Amino acid sequence: MNRRNFVSRVPAMLATGGVLGTLPLHGSPVKESSVYFIGPMSGYSPHIGALVSMLNYNRHTILREVDGMSVEELDHLHDERSNSIGALLMHLGATEKFYQANTFENRELNKAERKIWSAASDLGDRGRKEIRGKTLDHYLDMITEVREKTLEEFKNRDDEWLMKVDEGWSSRGALNTYWKWFHVCEHEANHRGQITWLKKRLPA
């Protein structure tokens, strides 16, 4: 089966459970906590558990990079076009918040949510101006609250939900919920690289 045929048959395969047979996940879910285990996790369906394990690892590396940072370090701008590390942390939360609303509730962010997260979503001049003067604990509390909701919501979903194609987003090819949450994962990894780069160039 070529890729085009496979994509066209995903809905039917989901209905019969066949798609999961083409994407096996072997081994039992682990109960102990380990950020170095990528695979099924206790409390989640197999593919959602694997996704959770990747999100957990990414977040672990972010926390390690920013541990102990001062307000001055979090606010520092490398140049006039840079984002601060604090703004990038908030950007992670804003992106995840958007995908929560989109995939869990099939909606856009509401007015109250946009008031909290829009500057972090936009970044640029607005982010440089508005996202300043907060402690590390403030940023970590914000993004941890978002992540906790994600993990709780995932417990109420299954792999069929994860594989579902979003027809409205599929103009360039089938795009499913799994891709959306994979994007949250890769997005965090991408900005971890920026945070690491900026951290190495902080003033002594």
Side-chain angles (χ1 to χ4, degrees):
M1 186 186 306
N2 65 35
R3 181 182 180 279
R4 183 178 297 276
N5 288 339
F6 173 80
V7 167
S8 69
R9 289 180 58 185
V10 163
M13 295 171 75
L14 281 171
T16 62
V19 70
L20 299 185
T22 71
L23 299 171
L25 281 175
H26 301 293
S28 301
V30 293
K31 294 182 179 180
E32 69 276 10
S33 176
S34 171
V35 296
Y36 303 106
F37 179 90
I38 300 299
M41 303 292 289
S42 180
Y44 301 97
S45 61
H47 283 274
I48 290 179
L51 177 64
V52 167
S53 69
M54 291 181 243
L55 289 168
N56 286 346
Y57 175 76
N58 271 348
R59 183 54 54 87
H60 168 75
T61 60
I62 290 284
L63 297 179
R64 185 176 59 196
E65 286 297 325
V66 301
D67 183 47
M69 281 193 172
S70 66
V71 173
E72 292 74 21
E73 290 171 326
L74 293 165
D75 285 352
H76 178 71
L77 294 171
H78 181 72
D79 57 39
E80 69 277 4
R81 298 181 62 187
S82 294
N83 297 300
S84 69
I85 292 175
L88 289 173
L89 289 174
M90 281 291 285
H91 182 65
L92 299 180
T95 300
E96 187 167 344
K97 193 73 177 177
F98 169 81
Y99 281 100
Q100 283 181 354
N102 176 267
T103 62
F104 299 148
E105 301 178 41
N106 192 31
R107 64 175 178 86
E108 300 288 332
L109 294 183
N110 60 40
K111 184 176 180 180
E113 291 165 336
R114 290 196 302 272
K115 184 176 181 180
I116 296 169
W117 296 105
S118 61
S121 180
D122 296 343
L123 291 177
D125 290 337
R126 186 179 176 194
R128 284 185 282 272
K129 180 179 178 180
E130 296 183 22
I131 306 173
R132 302 187 61 76
K134 304 296 186 181
T135 65
L136 178 62
D137 283 345
H138 168 81
Y139 295 122
L140 297 188
D141 286 347
M142 294 290 288
I143 66 173
T144 297
E145 182 178 354
V146 174
R147 177 56 52 85
E148 287 175 350
K149 176 177 173 64
T150 295
L151 299 181
E152 283 303 311
E153 292 287 346
F154 278 161
K155 291 177 181 178
N156 300 320
R157 268 71 179 182
D158 59 20
D159 287 345
E160 183 175 347
W161 169 85
L162 192 67
M163 300 295 174
K164 185 177 180 180
V165 172
D166 184 333
E167 298 296 343
W169 281 35
S170 296
S171 60
R172 293 183 293 178
L175 189 156
N176 63 356
T177 306
Y178 208 156
W179 179 88
K180 293 178 183 182
W181 282 99
F182 166 75
H183 177 61
V184 173
C185 192
E186 67 165 350
H187 176 263
E188 190 149 325
N190 176 58
H191 287 301
R192 179 186 65 217
Q194 289 183 304
I195 288 170
T196 301
W197 191 94
L198 291 168
K199 179 182 175 182
K200 290 179 178 178
R201 288 158 179 82
L202 288 169

